[in-house]
Amino acid sequence: LMYRYSEGTVCSGKGAHAYKIPATHQRSMPTALRTILHDILGSQKERLASPLDASSSCADYWSAHRQDQVFGAHWDAYKTRWTGASTACPDYDEQQAEKAVLWALNSATQTTTPTLTLLLLPTFSRDSTIQKYMRLVRDNPNFCKHLTTIPSGLIRLEASPLSKPNQSVRLKWNVNVLA
């Protein structure tokens, strides 16, 4: 488990979707923020989590690694339609953010089940509107909304058990909250 999520480990994926895990990917959104979002949504599902950072307020979470099923994870969030209320915070990578928005959008448009996926996504710049995934939001106003942008100065990523104690990371970018 610790090796799978260590800095420098290659995360499985096909072609361009395989990538090395950088140090920032060992951090998660603050527990308090995730707990509040789950409470507001009434959500018991967390997409794109790991056994190291899955919210204790969620009954179900999806991991990128099949081996994490031993820790109660469902394997591969992209092998199932995202229905009902859930949150998702993909790895801090522009391709991963766009993939998550597209999957959430396709899931919502291809089901009759009421669906709300709250996504926490990096902006990678001070302008929160220029990200590739924001094009999907603009092109699908009936299914996808930009709710707010959390300024980088107001949020710190929490350290995982793999990090040195108290090594939270101040973000260099803002966080978009999409539904």
Side-chain angles (χ1 to χ4, degrees), residues 74-147:
H74 295 278
W75 177 56
D76 196 351
Y78 296 111
K79 288 193 180 282
T80 184
R81 205 174 267 158
W82 297 0
T83 58
S86 64
T87 60
C89 183
D91 284 337
Y92 311 120
D93 171 272
E94 196 163 359
Q95 287 179 327
Q96 295 300 314
E98 185 176 19
K99 180 179 178 180
V101 172
L102 186 59
W103 195 266
L105 185 59
N106 286 336
S107 294
T109 59
Q110 296 174 12
T111 186
T112 57
T113 303
T115 299
L116 173 62
T117 303
L118 200 62
L119 293 137
L120 300 171
L121 303 167
T123 62
F124 304 109
S125 71
R126 293 289 172 196
D127 183 351
S128 64
T129 64
I130 62 171
Q131 306 312 304
K132 288 181 181 179
Y133 64 78
M134 289 302 289
R135 175 184 41 83
L136 294 168
V137 175
R138 286 188 294 275
D139 292 349
N140 295 280
N142 293 333
F143 294 98
C144 196
K145 303 282 184 212
H146 174 251
L147 300 179

Side-chain angles (χ1 to χ4, degrees), residues 5-51:
Y5 292 98
S6 295
E7 181 179 0
T9 302
V10 175
C11 187
S12 59
K14 294 181 181 175
H17 294 291
Y19 57 94
K20 282 189 177 182
I21 298 175
T24 55
H25 293 225
Q26 296 177 7
R27 310 294 194 273
S28 62
M29 288 292 164
T31 302
L33 173 63
R34 292 184 299 144
T35 300
I36 289 167
L37 294 176
H38 289 280
D39 289 349
I40 289 169
L41 286 177
S43 169
Q44 294 292 310
K45 300 175 187 176
E46 187 171 6
R47 316 290 177 170
L48 310 171
S50 82

Side-chain angles (χ1 to χ4, degrees), residues 59-71:
D60 294 299
Y61 72 97
W62 282 257
S63 166
H65 300 283
R66 182 183 301 234
Q67 303 94 312
D68 292 343
Q69 292 176 96
V70 142
F71 301 101

